[in-house]
Amino acid sequence: MNKLALVTGATSGIGEAFAERLATDGYDLILVGRRKDRLEEFAAAHPGVFVRSVVADLSTDTGVDTVAEICAAEPLTMLVNNAGVAHYMPLAELPADKARELVHVKVVAPTLLARAAVAGMQERGEGQIVNVAGMIAFSGPADKSVMPRRAVYAGTLAHLVALSQTLSAELADTGVQVQVLCPGVVATEFHSRQGLDLSAVPRMTPEDVVTASLRGLELGEVVCAPGVEDAGLLDAVFRAGLAAFGGQSPRLASRYRDA
């Protein structure tokens, strides 16, 4: 049986780069996106590869349910939760429909698709789930000078980090790997669709991001940060978080007690 990968947000950027690389590596593909024409173009350009195109909008319950059913029914070797939107703006200015879309695409969809896929992967004793987040997941402590404002977007990416780390621990010794992929600024359409011109900013290519992800899986990395040379920086962040978690007590901390 050929390896089978499902990639969301597969019509451009990192998702398309995953599709290209996995096709080269001999995977059959289920590609999910909102743009039917681009999905068809990819399939036509890869006549020697099995490509199933699924047009679905992951900002909707119907779209998520459609893809979740496929994740549960198909013997996936790999699930790449890549679909994304940004909507960079202060929370008070973020329209409710855009906030809902963002949370649905970056929290609800990857959570439910992973949930749908993981049981079958466990039964088969193998599988890989890649959740595409970004280094903005670690930007929460930044001060007010950091622009643009993006509280909801940063929060959704932080969710993917915690979800992936915890799920990885749940799946220890099952043969199923979980990775959260955290690139920095990448040369894709992502920012231009938000009206941001980052052409003058040094950016990583989508192909390099995919190379890092696949090599990170080989290395057993749960958090893959393609542009961070010193992986010890990430280890320090996580050790500090666990230290704070372990440092709690049922006794009220002294700073909160009456003087």
Side-chain angles (χ1 to χ4, degrees):
M1 182 181 296
N2 286 352
K3 297 176 290 185
L4 176 62
L6 187 148
V7 182
T8 68
T11 56
S12 65
I14 295 171
E16 184 178 15
F18 261 111
E20 288 282 359
R21 178 65 175 272
L22 295 175
T24 299
D25 289 349
Y27 281 75
D28 291 338
L29 299 173
I30 302 174
L31 302 183
V32 179
R34 289 185 289 188
R35 289 173 283 189
K36 181 180 180 181
D37 57 336
R38 289 202 177 184
L39 293 171
E40 291 176 344
E41 287 171 8
F42 185 95
H46 299 79
V49 178
F50 172 83
V51 180
R52 175 181 173 185
S53 299
V54 179
V55 179
D57 183 352
L58 296 180
S59 70
T60 67
D61 287 337
T62 298
V64 173
D65 289 347
T66 296
V67 181
E69 288 175 5
I70 296 170
C71 289
E74 297 291 342
L76 297 183
T77 311
M78 179 180 288
L79 167 64
V80 181
N81 280 312
N82 168 73
V85 291
H87 302 323
Y88 290 174
M89 63 189 73
L91 181 59
E93 299 173 15
L94 182 64
D97 62 333
K98 292 187 180 299
R100 187 176 293 109
E101 178 186 19
L102 178 50
V103 172
H104 222 88
V105 172
K106 294 305 292 181
V107 174
V108 176
T111 300
L112 293 184
L113 299 192
R115 174 189 174 277
V118 73
M121 289 181 174
Q122 283 183 279
E123 289 176 4
R124 293 185 294 275
E126 65 174 355
Q128 296 170 324
I129 297 172
V130 177
N131 295 316
V132 180
M135 290 305 293
I136 289 172
F138 305 103
S139 68
D143 64 32
K144 65 180 181 180
S145 68
V146 174
M147 296 290 283
R149 308 298 185 205
R150 50 201 174 193
V152 178
Y153 183 69
T156 64
L157 300 193
H159 164 81
L160 289 174
V161 173
L163 171 71
S164 301
Q165 290 176 307
T166 307
L167 181 58
S168 176
E170 287 181 14
L171 296 173
D173 304 320
T174 67
V176 182
Q177 285 183 279
V178 182
Q179 179 192 89
V180 60
L181 177 58
C182 298
V185 184
V186 185
T188 70
E189 301 172 4
F190 185 77
H191 294 94
S192 61
R193 291 203 297 267
Q194 311 301 316
L196 300 173
D197 181 6
L198 299 185
S199 57
V201 177
R203 295 174 291 171
M204 186 173 285
T205 67
E207 292 76 18
D208 278 352
V209 173
V210 172
T211 293
S213 175
L214 298 180
R215 178 59 178 150
L217 287 169
E218 292 176 356
L219 294 171
E221 291 183 348
V222 177
V223 180
C224 173
V228 176
E229 182 64 32
D230 183 1
L233 294 172
L234 296 171
D235 293 337
V237 168
F238 303 137
R239 284 197 302 270
L242 285 174
F245 180 74
Q248 61 186 316
S249 164
R251 178 174 169 77
L252 186 66
S254 59
R255 66 185 177 280
Y256 302 126
R257 300 177 207 152
D258 292 337

